[in-house]
């Protein structure tokens, strides 16, 4: 998956949010970005990783504040850190196989 494909859904949601609140998606103030990210936390079941993806999509296209991208600003980084603590990423796999048991089982078959 390319970065642009991964960002397309979050970017559409961001543009829709900005249109609803009368803000430009490319030059939105930090408070609008944080409002959008907060709404993702409170109004959806999204966890840390998808919300961080939204932040990255916005940060890539939004005008920097001074020389700092929006996603790297201390207040946004603090928000994402708090989100990480509040909704930590879930493990990708709920269980794994024991390697010794698996190899022993496979050895029982003829080559």
């Amino acid at each position: 998956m390319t970065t642009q494909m991964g960002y397309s859904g979050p970017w559409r949601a961001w543009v829709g949010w900005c249109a609803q609140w009368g803000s430009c998606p490319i030059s939105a103030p930090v408070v609008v970005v944080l409002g959008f990210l907060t709404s993702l936390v409170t109004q959806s079941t999204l966890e840390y990783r998808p919300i961080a993806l939204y932040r990255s999509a916005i940060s890539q296209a939004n005008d920097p504040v001074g020389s700092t991208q929006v996603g790297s600003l201390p207040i946004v980084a603090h928000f994402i850190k708090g989100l990480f603590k509040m909704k930590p990423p879930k493990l990708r796999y709920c269980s794994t196989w024991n390697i010794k048991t698996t190899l022993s089982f496979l050895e029982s078959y003829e080559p």
Side-chain angles (χ1 to χ4, degrees):
M1 173 170 75
T2 66
T3 302
Q4 282 185 332
M5 287 175 51
Y7 285 173
S8 65
W11 181 252
R12 278 193 306 272
W14 168 242
V15 170
W17 169 271
C18 286
Q20 182 181 8
W21 293 97
S23 188
C24 175
I26 296 174
S27 62
V30 177
V31 68
V32 174
V33 174
L34 288 174
F36 174 69
L37 295 175
T38 301
S39 75
L40 294 175
V41 174
T42 58
Q43 297 175 5
S44 70
T45 59
L46 293 178
E47 298 293 328
Y48 168 77
R49 284 187 186 111
I51 294 174
L53 181 69
Y54 279 80
R55 186 249 355 236
S56 296
I58 295 166
S59 183
Q60 184 179 28
N62 208 343
D63 291 337
V65 176
S67 62
T68 307
Q69 286 190 322
V70 172
S72 298
L73 291 171
I75 192 165
V76 177
H78 187 69
F79 175 86
I80 293 295
K81 185 177 179 180
L83 175 64
F84 182 85
K85 289 181 178 182
M86 189 173 85
K87 292 185 168 193
K90 292 183 179 174
L91 295 175
R92 196 168 290 238
Y93 305 105
C94 59
S95 66
T96 58
W97 293 358
N98 182 319
I99 295 294
K100 285 185 180 182
T101 305
T102 305
L103 289 176
S104 295
F105 174 76
L106 292 174
E107 284 177 348
S108 69
Y109 284 98
E110 295 284 329

